[in-house]
Amino acid sequence: MAGPGSANQPLLLGASRLNEDEESGTCQNGGSAVASVPSSSSSSSSSSSPSGNSVVLFSSLVAVCGSYAFGNAVGYSSPAETGIMGDLGLSLAEEQYRVEGLQIYWVEGAMWVSELFCITGWLAIMFAKGAWWLDAGRLLVGCGIGLLSYVVPVYVAEITPKNVRGGYTSLNQLMIGLGKAFMFLIGSLVNWRVLALIGTLPCLVQLLGLFFIPESPRWLAKVGREKEFEAALQHLRGKNANISQEASDIQDYTEHLRCMSQDGIVELCQGKYARPLIVGVGLMIFQQCGGLNGFVFYTSAIFEAAGFSTTIGTIVAAVVQILTTTLGVLLIDKSGRRPLLLVSAAGGCLGCVFTGLSFFLQDLHSGAELVSGLVLVGVLVFLGSFELGMGGIPWIIMSEIFPINVKASAGSLINLVSWLGSWFISCTFSYLFEWSTAGTFFIYAGICGAGVIFIAKLVPETKGRMLEEMHASITNKNDNNLS
C-alpha cells in the first residue's frame, strides 16, 4: 500500500497516524519559526487537472467505504435482533444490553487499525455459537469503526482542494446513511448470519483499495518526507497542475508547527487550542445527546408505542434519511457549514417537540390517528434534519479546525466524547421512555435547542478556506474572521 514515491511504506487510511512518532525538525533563529499564514487567495493558483480530480475522487471513494462499513454496523442490530435471540436463546434484555455494549467498544476503537478488525468481527458474528462469540465479534467491529469514524473525514479533508472539501467530506455521512438503510432492507430478506457476511464486503473493498491511493500529503510533510510529499500532492492535483504555491504553504506552516510545538495531550491543553476544543467537543455532545440513538435504535419501539406500523415507518425513515443526506452533500459547499448546522439542529428540536407532543396527546387519550400521524412526522423531521447537517458536519469541522500537530490527540479525545455520549443515550433511553414517553422527547428538544445557540455563538464557518489558513486563524484569540 503506497502513495507515489513511497513504494515500501504501508498506508494506514487517513492523515494523522494515531500512534506514530513525528520526526524532529530543526528551527532557525533561536528555535522559533516565522511562517506566513497562507491565505485563500494566495493558494488559488494551484488548480487540479481532470486526472487529479479523478485521483481525489477515487481516493475519497475508497476512504468512504469505511463510512459505509460504519453504517452497516449501526444498521445491523435492528433487523438481526429477532433472529439472534431465537437462534442463540437470548432474552430481549440481554440483546439490548449487547447493543448498548457496542457503544463502549466504539470508544476503544480509535486506537486500532480498522479493516482487519471489522472483517474478523463480522466473521465471528456470522459463526457465533453463543453469546461470547457475539460479544467478541461486536467488540472487533466496534474497534474498527471507531477508528474509521475519525480517520475517514480527516483523510478526505487533507487530500481535497478547499473549494470542494465540504462536498467530498460529506460523502462520509451519505455512505453511513446508505449503509444503515441497506442493512435494514436486506435484513428483512436474509438471516442474521448472511447479513454479517455481507458486512465484510465494504471492508474488503477498502482493504484492497488502500493499495492504490496516496498517503495524505500533509502527513508526509509533517514527518519530513519531502519528496514523497510533493509526489503525493502532484498525483492528487494532476500531473499538469501547478502545485508550487499550495506545496509551499503546506510546508511553511508544517515547519512552523514543528518548531513551535509537539504532538500530545499536554500540547492540546494550551490556551490557544481552547476554541477548537470547545467547538469540537461541544458539537459531539449536542450531536449525540439530542436523542439520536434513541431514535435510531428504538425506531420500531417508538412507532409501536404510538400505534403506527413499524415496517412502513422504518422504511419511510430510511428513505428520508438518504434523501436529506444527499441534499446536504449538494448544499455544503454552496450554503456553508454553519447554515446547515443551524437548520439541522433547529429541525431536530422541532422533531423532538412533535414526537413528544404526540405522546402527550396519547396520555390525554386523544385520537389514535392524530397521535400516530404526529409521531411519524416527528421521527421523520428529526432523522431528516439530523442527516442534513448534525450527522456529518461536526466530523467535517473537526477534521478541518485542528492543526496537524494536535490532530491525533484531539481526534482521540473527541472520539471518546462522542462515543461516551452515544453510549449514554443508548443506555438511558429505555429508562426515560418508561418514565415518561412525552417527557423524554421534550428533554431532547431542550438539548437540541441549546445546540442551536451553541452553533450560532461559537461554531466557525470553514467553507472555502485553506486548512493552514484556518488553523492559524482559529488558534489566534484576537482573530474574528471565523465568527
Side-chain angles (χ1 to χ4, degrees):
M1 291 176 277
S6 56
N8 298 319
Q9 297 296 332
L11 172 66
L12 172 62
L13 171 68
S16 300
R17 296 288 208 285
L18 296 181
N19 290 310
E20 179 139 4
D21 295 328
E22 68 175 36
E23 295 180 9
S24 59
T26 58
C27 301
Q28 298 175 352
N29 301 328
S32 63
V34 178
S36 59
V37 177
S39 65
S40 299
S41 59
S42 68
S43 303
S44 61
S45 62
S46 177
S47 59
S48 300
S49 70
S51 62
N53 291 333
S54 65
V55 174
V56 171
L57 177 61
F58 176 74
S59 301
S60 299
L61 290 176
V62 170
V64 297
C65 283
S67 306
Y68 189 84
F70 183 104
N72 283 175
V74 173
Y76 177 79
S77 297
S78 181
E81 183 179 75
T82 302
I84 289 174
M85 290 190 297
D87 291 354
L88 301 184
L90 301 178
S91 66
L92 179 60
E94 288 175 319
E95 175 59 12
Q96 287 179 338
Y97 168 77
R98 285 175 168 82
V99 170
E100 293 162 359
L102 182 61
Q103 308 298 317
I104 300 175
Y105 301 152
W106 282 342
V107 173
E108 301 175 5
M111 303 299 169
W112 300 90
V113 179
S114 58
E115 296 87 354
L116 295 178
F117 277 88
C118 288
I119 294 170
T120 307
W122 282 122
L123 293 177
I125 293 172
M126 185 179 71
F127 292 110
K129 302 297 183 182
W132 285 108
W133 278 88
L134 197 64
D135 286 344
R138 281 178 167 161
L139 168 63
L140 292 169
V141 172
C143 285
I145 64 175
L147 175 60
L148 290 171
S149 67
Y150 169 63
V151 176
V152 169
V154 168
Y155 175 75
V156 176
E158 291 191 353
I159 67 169
T160 50
K162 63 182 181 182
N163 59 312
V164 294
R165 189 174 63 238
Y168 273 91
T169 49
S170 60
L171 287 174
N172 175 56
Q173 187 63 24
L174 175 62
M175 295 301 285
I176 290 174
L178 290 174
K180 288 190 291 188
F182 179 81
M183 286 302 252
F184 178 79
L185 296 174
I186 296 298
S188 63
L189 304 175
V190 300
N191 67 45
W192 60 277
R193 295 186 188 276
V194 175
L195 197 62
L197 180 62
I198 292 173
T200 65
L201 298 181
C203 305
L204 290 170
V205 171
Q206 187 184 55
L207 193 62
L208 293 173
L210 291 177
F211 285 92
F212 304 100
I213 66 176
E215 180 57 273
S216 161
R218 286 176 168 86
W219 181 82
L220 292 170
K222 175 192 174 185
V223 297
R225 289 154 58 176
E226 294 184 7
K227 291 183 178 180
E228 294 167 62
F229 154 71
E230 292 181 2
L233 186 61
Q234 189 74 68
H235 186 51
L236 286 164
R237 300 294 178 260
K239 63 181 181 179
N240 297 321
N242 179 9
I243 63 167
S244 57
Q245 183 64 57
E246 184 179 7
S248 176
D249 289 341
I250 293 172
Q251 287 177 315
D252 288 348
Y253 190 69
T254 302
E255 182 62 26
H256 173 68
L257 291 176
R258 182 185 293 123
C259 293
M260 296 298 294
S261 59
Q262 296 293 320
D263 195 359
I265 292 294
V266 175
E267 172 68 18
L268 188 62
C269 292
Q270 291 188 29
K272 63 182 178 180
Y273 299 119
R275 187 182 180 193
L277 263 183
I278 291 171
V279 170
V281 170
L283 282 176
M284 292 305 159
I285 289 174
F286 287 113
Q287 181 194 62
Q288 297 299 331
C289 294
L292 170 64
N293 279 358
F295 279 95
V296 171
F297 287 125
Y298 299 97
T299 305
S300 298
I302 294 171
F303 284 135
E304 187 176 346
F308 191 84
S309 169
T310 57
T311 302
I312 295 175
T314 49
I315 291 175
V316 173
V319 172
V320 167
Q321 288 180 83
I322 292 172
L323 292 176
T324 53
T325 304
T326 305
L327 180 62
V329 171
L330 297 175
L331 291 178
I332 190 168
D333 277 322
K334 296 180 180 179
S335 64
R337 280 66 155 163
R338 273 169 55 90
L340 285 180
L341 280 176
L342 288 168
V343 170
S344 178
C349 179
L350 188 62
C352 289
V353 170
F354 283 155
T355 308
L357 184 59
S358 69
F359 286 111
F360 178 74
L361 293 175
Q362 186 182 62
D363 293 339
L364 297 178
H365 305 289
S366 297
E369 291 184 2
L370 176 61
V371 170
S372 60
L374 198 56
V375 81
L376 175 65
V377 171
V379 171
L380 294 183
V381 169
F382 178 88
L383 292 177
S385 299
F386 180 86
E387 299 296 345
L388 182 66
M390 286 299 290
I393 294 179
W395 294 103
I396 294 173
I397 290 179
M398 183 201 67
S399 71
E400 294 175 327
I401 61 176
F402 289 105
I404 197 168
N405 65 310
V406 295
K407 192 167 283 187
S409 303
S412 298
L413 175 61
I414 289 176
N415 245 319
L416 179 67
V417 171
S418 176
W419 296 120
L420 282 176
S422 177
W423 169 80
F424 177 77
I425 295 300
S426 298
C427 287
T428 58
F429 178 82
S430 57
Y431 299 108
L432 288 173
F433 201 64
E434 268 186 46
W435 163 70
S436 171
T437 50
T440 300
F441 295 103
F442 288 142
I443 291 172
Y444 293 151
I447 295 173
C448 291
V452 174
I453 298 173
F454 176 85
I455 293 164
K457 295 292 185 181
L458 291 174
V459 175
E461 178 57 72
T462 60
K463 181 187 76 167
R465 303 192 71 176
M466 189 171 176
L467 293 180
E468 287 70 29
E469 172 197 3
M470 189 161 39
H471 297 160
S473 296
I474 201 170
T475 55
N476 185 343
K477 296 179 182 179
N478 298 317
D479 184 88
N480 295 317
N481 292 334
L482 291 177
S483 59

